[in-house]
Amino acid sequence: MDRRLLLRLGLGAAGVGGAFWLRDHVLWAPPKATFDTGETTGWLPWAVRGTAVPTVRATIGGRQVNALVDSGAQYSVIDRALYAALGAPRGFDLPLVAYGVSGAPQMGKGAVLDLSVGSLRLTGLRVGILALGPLAGTEGLNTPLVLGQDVLGRLRFGVDADRRRLVFTAPGADRLPPDVSPVPVTRRGRALVAAITVEGVKIDAVVDTGASGLLSLRRSAAAAAGLLDGRAVEPGSSLVLGGAVPARIVRARTMTFADQVYRDRPVSIFADTVAPGVPDALLGMGAFAGRRAVMDLGAGKLWASRPLDLTVA
């Protein structure tokens, strides 16, 4: 079951005019990120075995939990059950509404946490308190904590998908792996947006480490790319905020991303929604299979190693 969560939090107290600055610097200020020693955690193993998305062990109040590292989520989130089990840490009554790709909203409030991931300390991390459903439970991904763009905007984040490991590094540290090179990206808000070509059609996609597949498209984007031309459609399902929704799977004859050509690969199609902030396309961890990647959301940069094989079937 593929995990297709794109979390968008609308902060009700933000108002208009300077709303985005107020939201990101005052109402939802980013956490302080420090390291016990040096400027990196070193490589850490993924906490959840058998998954294609990056997960890591985090410690909150002496309790270890699994966390999903999600570059597609605007903000960090804690499951309501875990929040209660932690004794309901310090909260704040800023109302928010969260949307997944299904478009279904969920109301919640916020909390402030201090936590650690290896030698990394995150102090004053503001999180949304939401019901994450199968994302949090053992029947799903078993990650009741999501670390989003508010965390990744303070650090460099590296993934080695084949070895199922990740690393956090201080953004100013000169610790790029020698085998990576820049991948052209732009910033949309705090997200990284990269170009992928689908059967000759260029599509701008949000880089979403919380999605396991190569590419997910809104129905309208899939139609514009010519993927709804009568070719076979397979049923599927996706884990989203609070539950699971049906998805449609078609196969693209060719896709190209960062000098790598993919042939006959599945593309997940989700319904068009009216939810704010949901992009047309999500570029998932399938784009980094066989290679290492480093992203710096704060600087708007992405690096990746060259693919092992320039044509992947």
Side-chain angles (χ1 to χ4, degrees):
M1 185 177 288
D2 204 359
R3 205 287 319 177
R4 303 288 180 186
L5 167 70
L6 185 78
L7 187 68
R8 290 291 184 260
L9 301 187
L11 306 186
V16 294
F20 292 109
W21 187 93
L22 183 64
R23 178 194 65 188
D24 293 339
H25 294 82
V26 179
L27 301 177
W28 208 279
K32 181 181 180 181
T34 58
F35 294 88
D36 288 342
T37 58
E39 297 181 303
T40 180
T41 59
W43 288 105
L44 301 172
W46 291 13
V48 181
R49 296 182 179 181
T51 181
V53 294
T55 59
V56 71
R57 295 291 277 175
T59 302
I60 311 174
R63 181 183 184 127
Q64 284 199 327
V65 302
N66 295 334
L68 170 66
V69 185
D70 190 349
S71 65
Q74 281 187 322
Y75 298 95
S76 298
V77 180
I78 189 171
D79 184 65
R80 284 176 180 160
L82 174 58
Y83 176 72
L86 292 171
R90 178 165 57 102
F92 53 96
D93 290 330
L94 179 64
L96 56 89
V97 59
Y99 297 89
V101 296
S102 66
Q106 185 179 144
M107 297 298 296
K109 293 186 179 180
V112 182
L113 304 176
D114 296 335
L115 60 92
S116 62
V117 177
S119 63
L120 170 65
R121 308 290 174 181
L122 296 172
T123 305
L125 173 63
R126 294 184 172 232
V127 296
I129 307 167
L130 300 170
L132 294 180
L135 287 174
T138 55
E139 74 280 11
L141 195 56
N142 193 23
T143 52
L145 181 67
V146 178
L147 302 179
Q149 294 169 10
D150 49 349
V151 171
L152 298 182
R154 310 292 286 179
L155 300 158
R156 279 185 184 168
F157 169 54
V159 292
D160 185 341
D162 286 1
R163 296 185 181 183
R164 299 293 196 268
R165 60 182 186 168
L166 58 84
V167 61
F168 293 103
T169 307
D174 187 19
R175 288 183 176 270
L176 284 173
D179 59 339
V180 301
S181 56
V183 176
V185 292
T186 58
R187 287 183 61 180
R188 183 177 299 164
R190 289 189 293 196
L192 297 181
V193 176
I196 181 170
T197 301
V198 181
E199 297 183 359
V201 178
K202 179 175 172 280
I203 296 175
D204 290 331
V206 168
V207 179
D208 183 5
T209 58
S212 60
L214 174 59
L215 183 66
S216 297
L217 296 175
R218 288 168 63 123
R219 188 186 185 284
S220 55
L227 295 180
L228 302 181
D229 56 359
R231 69 187 70 189
V233 178
E234 305 168 17
S237 63
S238 301
L239 291 183
V240 298
L241 181 61
V245 296
R248 304 169 67 190
I249 309 296
V250 300
R251 302 194 75 86
R253 289 183 286 272
T254 60
M255 291 187 283
T256 305
F257 166 69
D259 298 326
Q260 184 158 338
V261 179
Y262 304 85
R263 300 190 185 279
D264 190 32
R265 295 295 296 269
V267 176
S268 179
I269 300 173
F270 56 92
D272 288 330
T273 70
V274 296
V278 176
D280 288 339
L282 304 174
L283 185 75
M285 286 298 298
F288 303 110
R291 61 208 306 185
R292 291 196 289 178
V294 179
M295 56 194 69
D296 187 331
L297 272 65
K301 295 181 178 180
L302 172 67
W303 301 264
S305 60
R306 290 187 60 80
L308 299 178
D309 184 344
L310 292 179
T311 302
V312 178

